[in-house]
Amino acid sequence: MSTDLTAAASLGLASAGPAPREAAATAIEPGTPAFRRARLALFLAGFSTFSLLYAVQPLLPSFTEEFGVGASQASLALSLATGFLAFSILCAGAVSEAVGRRGLMFASMAGGALLHLGSALAPNWHAILVLRALEGFVLGGVPAVAMAYLAEEIHPRALGATMGLYVGGTAFGGMMGRLGMGALTEFASWRAAMGVLGLLDLAAAVGFLLLLPPSRNFARRRGVNAAYHLGAWAGHLKNRGLPLLFLTGFLALGVFVGTFNYLTFRLSAAPFSLSQGQISLVFAVFLSGVVASSAAGSLPTDSGAGPSSPRGC
């Protein structure tokens, strides 16, 4: 899910950092306090982004009841956010070249949490859709540059495992956002549930800023215009294998989101007639993604090859 977005974004930034030997000399070493802080901060970033993004999925049946919209219209609350996030990733990667990785990720996390709080207070359906679209666009700053930050700042020996932990955080966030919404709506309204998550992720953004070490190997590149970045992406598309890889992620994500959207409506209807909290338990399946992401990230390191070496790939 999130792996497709973050991996695609990092392709556009792969050549932005310093040379490997230079980066390794000043990289954050495994086992140091800075290393532990960076790992926790990036886990919070992944958790915050994808808990906010997917929190509305178990609420879709509630939207149809309260606002009198159909299932396809209710699904726009998620589709618009993910669509705008995908577009934002292409822009945010370029912006980070001038403003820096750390600040952009914090602004994205805090802005997304504030917009989520706005959605909880929105007076009508159209206002919710506008705020969700803006939320997706703002959140694009995290997956666009998180892996680029890790590639620049973390020592190659621990890069794969740290990236795996970040991706595990996105899976954990996606799961807890859905489970949390379902559980909270058993005791309160969906608006209150969204408000609680917004406040939690706003606190996560502050924690991220306090924990993440400042960049040591990032160099601002001023004067790099849109034409440069469009040319870089066009270069990726000329590669015979990459467009097929992008298409695979696009289609797989569409099937993934569509399947769980359908399940929320199917399980709320007869003969199942499950409650909001019971429906959200379906998303516990993401636990396997949390474990698999962290374990897979450790494999190249355990084999003695760095994440960029042919043997590690």
Side-chain angles (χ1 to χ4, degrees), residues 20-116:
R21 289 184 179 178
E22 295 174 1
T26 56
I28 300 174
E29 291 280 352
T32 62
F35 179 75
R36 290 189 288 270
R37 289 169 52 203
R39 282 167 58 93
L40 179 55
L42 267 296
F43 183 86
L44 288 176
F47 172 87
S48 175
T49 303
F50 287 89
S51 63
L52 292 171
L53 187 65
Y54 288 102
V56 299
Q57 196 164 40
L59 304 180
L60 299 183
S62 298
F63 292 158
T64 63
E65 294 177 9
E66 179 161 339
F67 298 105
V69 296
S72 59
Q73 292 173 296
S75 298
L76 287 173
L78 179 57
S79 300
L80 284 174
T82 54
F84 273 81
L85 179 136
F87 174 74
S88 173
I89 282 177
L90 301 178
C91 307
V95 171
S96 73
E97 293 292 286
V99 303
R101 320 284 195 214
R102 184 169 174 265
L104 180 61
M105 285 189 284
F106 169 72
S108 295
M109 293 170 65
L114 291 173
L115 287 166
H116 200 78

Side-chain angles (χ1 to χ4, degrees), residues 125-307:
W125 178 239
H126 291 99
I128 289 177
L129 292 184
V130 171
L131 287 167
R132 284 291 296 168
L134 290 173
E135 185 178 340
F137 184 82
V138 168
L139 287 174
V142 177
V145 299
M147 285 193 174
Y149 172 90
L150 291 174
E152 290 171 347
E153 306 300 333
I154 301 297
H155 195 281
R157 288 200 308 271
L159 182 55
T162 308
M163 285 186 172
L165 183 65
Y166 164 69
V167 175
T170 69
F172 184 70
M175 180 187 73
M176 292 306 297
R178 293 166 167 106
L179 283 173
M181 290 297 99
L184 288 172
T185 51
E186 290 284 298
F187 307 100
S189 68
W190 64 264
R191 291 182 182 275
M194 289 184 69
V196 169
L197 182 64
L199 291 173
L200 176 64
D201 283 325
L202 189 60
V206 175
F208 167 87
L209 185 65
L210 295 175
L211 286 168
L212 191 70
S215 297
R216 302 177 184 179
N217 297 309
F218 172 75
R220 283 184 171 82
R221 302 177 65 188
R222 302 188 184 281
V224 180
N225 55 29
Y228 171 86
H229 293 286
L230 289 174
W233 279 99
H236 295 320
L237 295 177
K238 291 177 182 177
N239 183 297
R240 296 179 60 183
L242 286 179
L244 295 176
L245 182 62
F246 298 154
L247 182 61
T248 300
F250 176 81
L251 295 176
L253 185 61
V255 171
F256 169 84
V257 173
T259 298
F260 281 99
N261 283 355
Y262 168 80
L263 279 176
T264 59
F265 290 104
R266 184 70 184 92
L267 295 176
S268 65
F272 304 103
S273 302
L274 299 182
S275 68
Q276 199 82 61
Q278 291 172 321
I279 293 172
S280 67
L281 291 176
V282 172
F283 300 107
V285 70
F286 284 91
L287 279 172
S288 60
V290 176
V291 176
S293 298
S294 299
S298 300
L299 290 177
T301 303
D302 292 341
S303 67

